Amino acid sequence: MLYRQRTLNTPHGCIKTPVLFPVRNIGKRSSDNTPAYADAIPDLRTAMVNARAIRQRDPQWNRLLNGATLREEMDIPEETVIFADSGGFDFQAGDVDTTPARTLETQRQIGADILGTVDRPISRENRDRENQRRISDSAEYAVEASDEHDGEELLFASIHGLDPETVQNNVRYLERNGDFDGYALGSLVPVRTDYKKVTSIILAARRATDKHLHVYGLGGLVYQPLLLYLGVDSFDSSAFIRSAGNRNYLVPGFGGQELKHVTELSYLPCSCPVCRDTPFTELREDRNALTKHNLWALTMELRRFRYMVAANEDVEAYLDLRFQGNEVTKRAYRQAKQQVRRLT
């Protein structure tokens, strides 16, 4: 097992890793924003935001330029640690409309603690040449950001690749040509059902550097234990929002269930404050409450893993049990275990 615990020092305080960064859609005008959680979940003093989206929302951006703070806008404690990515996912189908310097300026204006460099995600649908161009562009954007960066914030280089060798070469190139506090691995969401590929890429990144490793977009209930097992230091997720939108109820240690198939229960199998205080019939209709519960579910998944380590329990035996109910994830964990043990 490559699981590890460290302390990440940021301008707004220290956080213990591994840690989840819930995605906050505060930069977008939508009804699917994240509900307040900072005061309700004490160990979740983190947030992930899209710097590009915030800058493009003129009313909010003007308020920030005129002295408002993003933490005030989000109504979260001052000590909340914010990770601002570049909004690279928006460049998946279109051109890059920013520069490393402009993105750094935006990230600093919003008071971010962790700055993700500009990147161009890749996909299986692209031709190899196009993907290679995007990988190279992202690396050069990261080097430019390193040259521009002289602040106290942490700078994570965004990296991409659909095979282990590319990811390792990318990390080594950036180690030689830039100065980064960590790396953020992207482009894995479109291939997330190919567990063997995803875990081999993550493992390659983990073995290429001892620095902080973040994985973009895979912090959901199923992947989270695998990321912890593979030594990932942090991850972000919007799964709790998307699942609630589909009326999916996340069960810690299990997975998601559609509530429309549940009709006769009085109580749900969770003791979080939302499930404790909200009648089942009300919860299934209240998307905001369901989103809060789902975030609790992600938090408890992480707490449970930490407990197993702290109690000096056999974590691999715990994961054998954790994944036994689903043949796909059971096979994924078995593959990850073999990869960690260098049996494949």
Side-chain angles (χ1 to χ4, degrees):
M1 183 175 72
L2 301 178
Y3 175 84
R4 62 187 203 171
Q5 295 172 294
R6 295 190 170 185
T7 300
L8 197 62
N9 297 306
T10 80
H12 285 84
C14 302
I15 51 176
K16 299 291 185 182
T17 65
V19 66
L20 167 69
F21 285 84
V23 170
R24 303 273 305 204
N25 293 329
I26 191 168
K28 293 184 178 179
R29 188 185 299 276
S30 66
S31 60
D32 60 350
N33 208 340
T34 313
Y37 61 83
D39 292 328
I41 307 179
D43 47 343
L44 211 52
R45 200 164 50 80
T46 51
M48 165 73 81
V49 300
N50 179 330
R52 177 177 179 273
I54 292 172
R55 183 158 186 155
Q56 287 195 327
R57 188 179 180 187
D58 288 339
Q60 183 178 57
W61 183 241
N62 288 332
R63 290 196 298 274
L64 294 173
L65 291 177
N66 289 324
T69 73
L70 185 62
R71 289 169 179 79
E72 290 172 350
E73 296 271 313
M74 295 166 72
D75 193 22
I76 56 176
E78 182 64 19
E79 62 269 23
T80 302
V81 174
I82 294 178
F83 186 155
D85 69 15
S86 69
F89 191 75
D90 297 339
F91 309 139
Q92 199 163 29
D95 295 332
V96 176
D97 60 0
T98 186
T99 65
R102 189 173 192 233
T103 294
L104 283 178
E105 175 194 340
T106 303
Q107 292 164 326
R108 285 174 174 158
Q109 183 66 46
I110 63 181
D113 300 276
I114 303 172
L115 320 180
T117 59
V118 177
D119 60 333
R120 301 187 68 197
I122 58 178
S123 75
R124 279 177 163 171
E125 286 66 39
N126 292 339
R127 293 182 176 181
D128 289 345
R129 184 178 299 177
E130 171 62 17
N131 274 340
Q132 189 53 52
R133 183 162 43 242
R134 288 169 175 251
I135 291 169
S136 298
D137 287 348
S138 297
E140 294 311 314
Y141 287 141
V143 172
E144 284 186 49
S146 174
D147 293 340
E148 294 283 342
H149 179 246
D150 57 0
E152 296 180 353
E153 312 90 349
L154 304 181
L155 182 66
F156 287 2
S158 301
I159 55 175
H160 299 276
L162 290 179
D163 63 84
E165 184 178 10
T166 297
V167 168
Q168 287 194 326
N169 289 339
N170 209 354
V171 172
R172 288 166 184 153
Y173 173 80
L174 292 169
E175 285 283 271
R176 290 195 303 271
N177 293 281
D179 183 11
F180 304 101
D181 300 289
Y183 295 91
L185 182 58
S187 296
L188 297 180
V189 173
V191 295
R192 62 185 179 277
T193 56
D194 189 342
Y195 289 96
K196 187 173 184 179
K197 176 184 281 293
V198 170
T199 54
S200 65
I201 291 171
I202 293 171
L203 194 56
R206 180 67 291 160
R207 285 179 168 152
T209 179
D210 189 52
K211 291 181 179 176
H212 188 102
L213 178 62
H214 179 91
V215 171
Y216 284 130
L218 283 186
L221 209 55
V222 173
Y223 255 107
Q224 198 178 112
L226 287 175
L227 300 183
L228 297 168
Y229 181 74
L230 295 171
V232 173
D233 299 298
S234 63
F235 30 83
D236 59 88
S237 178
S238 61
F240 60 104
I241 305 172
R242 290 183 284 101
S243 294
N246 294 323
R247 295 298 187 267
N248 277 345
Y249 178 84
L250 300 184
V251 184
F254 189 72
Q257 290 287 319
E258 292 184 53
L259 285 182
K260 65 181 180 182
H261 299 307
V262 183
T263 57
E264 299 179 354
L265 280 180
S266 298
Y267 301 98
L268 286 162
C270 174
S271 57
C272 79
V274 180
C275 295
R276 181 194 64 200
D277 299 335
T278 311
F280 171 60
T281 52
E282 183 179 324
L283 180 63
R284 66 185 301 168
E285 302 300 328
D286 186 341
R287 181 186 171 281
N288 196 53
L290 191 54
T291 303
K292 288 181 180 178
H293 156 75
N294 285 345
L295 188 53
W296 267 107
L298 294 182
T299 305
M300 287 190 281
E301 187 82 35
L302 180 53
R303 285 184 183 182
R304 184 177 296 176
F305 200 108
R306 284 174 170 161
Y307 173 80
M308 299 304 290
V309 174
N312 202 28
E313 295 289 339
D314 183 341
V315 173
E316 290 193 344
Y318 161 66
L319 292 178
D320 286 335
L321 182 65
R322 168 68 177 80
F323 289 118
Q324 71 173 359
N326 184 301
E327 191 56 38
V328 174
T329 54
K330 179 181 176 181
R331 188 165 57 248
Y333 167 58
R334 189 183 302 136
Q335 291 167 347
K337 187 159 57 174
Q338 291 173 337
Q339 289 167 339
V340 166
R341 294 176 175 177
R342 297 181 183 274
L343 294 179
T344 59

